[in-house]
Amino acid sequence: MRNLILLLILISVTACSNNSKEMVNAMEGYWNIETVTLPDGSEREFPFSNHMDHFEIEGYNGVKNRVSPTYDGGFINYGSPVAFTWEVVDQVVVLTFKDGDSRYQQTLKKCNGSTLILLHDNGTEYIYKAHENAQE
């Protein structure tokens, strides 16, 4: 009985870990912010923006860049890249960003390749839509 319980726990942890890794890997690419919900519940929509976030993931490390599309189909970076790490904490994916001297965390609530939802540690929720014309 004890072995069965340990096996079930191991399967549960492994399944959660694999699902977490799949969500993080699905973040890789170009994302447009669609809606920002502030902690007070108010929303701000972004129906069009020529700025987006580009996420690159390698293992448990990543980089987020702010980019703008160019007329030739490419992208230009603006601002400094923000490095981050990710880990699973209490069965949720937590991204820890280091931007200069400041650090902040965001929880990965959803990422399925078309929608990305990040919850900032200050309570602000960012809903992204995948950029449709990105050529990597």
Side-chain angles (χ1 to χ4, degrees):
M1 181 67 171
R2 181 175 180 205
N3 289 341
L4 179 62
I5 292 172
L6 289 174
L7 179 63
L8 290 175
I9 291 172
L10 180 62
I11 290 171
S12 174
V13 169
T14 303
C16 181
S17 176
N18 288 338
N19 184 40
S20 299
K21 190 171 277 197
E22 288 172 14
M23 278 200 326
V24 171
N25 288 336
M27 283 178 50
E28 189 145 12
Y30 297 88
W31 296 90
N32 293 82
I33 293 179
E34 194 171 55
T35 307
V36 174
T37 304
L38 299 174
D40 67 4
S42 62
E43 286 188 1
R44 181 167 177 204
E45 292 186 15
F46 295 85
F48 173 78
S49 175
N50 66 342
H51 302 296
M52 61 191 72
D53 290 339
H54 177 247
F55 291 90
E56 295 177 46
I57 312 291
E58 187 172 323
Y60 289 92
N61 298 303
V63 175
K64 179 175 92 169
N65 288 289
R66 297 289 290 165
V67 299
S68 291
T70 60
Y71 292 109
D72 65 0
F75 294 90
I76 57 170
N77 290 341
Y78 67 93
S80 299
V82 180
F84 66 91
T85 59
W86 70 272
E87 63 182 331
V88 178
V89 178
D90 295 330
Q91 299 184 0
V92 296
V93 175
V94 176
L95 309 171
T96 301
F97 293 86
K98 182 166 177 11
D99 189 8
D101 291 335
S102 68
R103 287 182 182 267
Y104 60 93
Q105 291 186 325
Q106 294 183 338
T107 300
L108 177 58
K109 291 180 67 176
K110 176 181 181 179
C111 189
N112 60 13
S114 62
T115 301
L116 168 63
I117 302 175
L118 295 173
L119 180 63
H120 196 282
D121 57 9
N122 69 5
T124 303
E125 182 178 76
Y126 297 91
I127 300 175
Y128 292 83
K129 175 176 76 168
H131 182 64
E132 296 173 6
N133 298 324
Q135 299 293 321
E136 292 193 58

